[in-house]
Amino acid sequence: MGIKDVARAAGLSITTVSHALNGKGKVSARTRERVRLLADELGYRPNPAAQVLLTGRTGVVGLAAGHQSAEAWERTYRPYYASLTAGAMVEAVDRDYALVVVPSRPGTDLWTRIPMDGLIVVDPVAGDPVITEALHRGLSVVTDGRPLDPGHGSIPYVHSDMLSGVPLALDHLHESGGRRTALLTGPQLDSYTLDSERAYTRWCEDRGLPATVERVRDGEPAHDAARRLLASPDRPDAVHALNETYGEALRAAARELGLAIPGDLRITAMGDREPGIRPALTLLSLAPRRIGALCAGMLIDVLNGGTPKPLSVPCTLIPGDSTRPAAG
């Protein structure tokens, strides 16, 4: 049953019926209602491809996640993206959109096989090719994390407030007894990494403390960087790790070196846990479900003609055994 059949049964032109069904044109309310009732009675269903041609909209938004080749993917980033995607999906569905997750590799033909109205890019990096290709294809873009390229400055974004969140973890390490606090960071040049490093350096400067930054090199196991940091002559007694994988690497290296946690070494790391479960590591939570929902809502606002401003989401600390105060 097509629109021609509905038009024939209603005794109206195809254009009038199309306008009545799509809420367009100068059609009286009475005629719109008659056409819609008749279409339902005849079992008419709109052709999705024709609807796209008519409106220029697919009703689909995409989400592209990075870091998939990193060692930290399984323990830290996959759960983070899963929670973020769940939040984005619920928000999209609530607003009558579908959400699909697409590969972050530019050039894949999936970009052309799945029509989308817009794209959420998670953790954009400097010179991000995914953003470049999305804009080239005419997609609206929103990012989780601040875009780093000057040419992408007008892209709306949601980001975790690392400039306040990292000091929250560092203060906790200091209050639990840490006096030589280091940062274990990674090779990715995204706003999350850069803001975390900037916040750590500023925290050390404000307190007149030396800044010790150990970076996991590209392709290097996190355990090697953790052991290098903890085996140094002036080893730290507290470390904030950029993700949970790095935090676990610190725990393993500490065991090898005979360091007690939290007696000799206190650790915090980015990560999340279900409420009521005390984790082994004290975690800095970035609220990924909320971020995903905000990203999806922001993208849909853009598609509807809005000009949303960047949003900052505060972090929270989840106490764990790696900073538990000594008994007594």
Side-chain angles (χ1 to χ4, degrees), residues 96-277:
D96 293 328
Y97 275 79
L99 182 136
V100 296
V101 179
V102 299
S104 59
R105 301 179 301 277
T108 175
D109 64 349
L110 192 60
W111 289 73
T112 58
R113 288 191 286 114
I114 299 181
M116 295 179 288
D117 296 328
L119 184 68
I120 300 168
V121 179
V122 184
D123 289 332
V125 297
D128 198 297
V130 178
I131 293 180
T132 300
E133 184 160 347
L135 295 176
H136 176 71
R137 293 185 181 278
L139 297 176
S140 296
V141 174
V142 162
T143 62
D144 162 34
R146 189 180 67 259
L148 298 178
D149 292 343
H152 297 160
S154 62
I155 294 175
Y157 63 89
V158 180
H159 75 130
S160 300
D161 185 5
M162 304 315 301
L163 296 181
S164 298
V166 168
L168 189 67
L170 298 175
D171 286 343
H172 180 76
L173 289 170
H174 188 79
E175 291 164 3
S176 66
R179 293 298 177 264
R180 299 180 306 280
T181 302
L183 179 72
L184 182 58
T185 183
Q188 293 86 8
L189 294 180
D190 53 31
S191 63
Y192 166 71
T193 302
L194 296 176
D195 286 352
S196 296
E197 294 177 1
R198 187 178 301 118
Y200 167 74
T201 302
R202 184 182 301 171
W203 185 86
C204 291
E205 289 175 350
D206 289 346
R207 288 156 182 76
L209 300 173
T212 302
V213 178
E214 186 65 56
R215 187 178 297 279
V216 178
R217 298 160 188 164
D218 196 14
E220 176 187 38
H223 180 270
D224 291 353
R227 198 177 196 287
R228 186 166 61 242
L229 175 63
L230 298 184
S232 61
D234 55 345
R235 70 163 184 83
D237 59 6
V239 183
H240 177 64
L242 207 65
N243 58 57
E244 198 170 349
T245 298
Y246 295 175
E248 290 297 339
L250 286 165
R251 291 182 69 207
R255 285 194 297 269
E256 286 184 9
L257 296 170
L259 301 175
I261 299 174
D264 300 318
L265 179 67
R266 300 142 190 88
I267 305 170
T268 58
M270 185 276 279
D272 283 282
R273 282 293 181 275
E274 293 296 326
I277 300 177

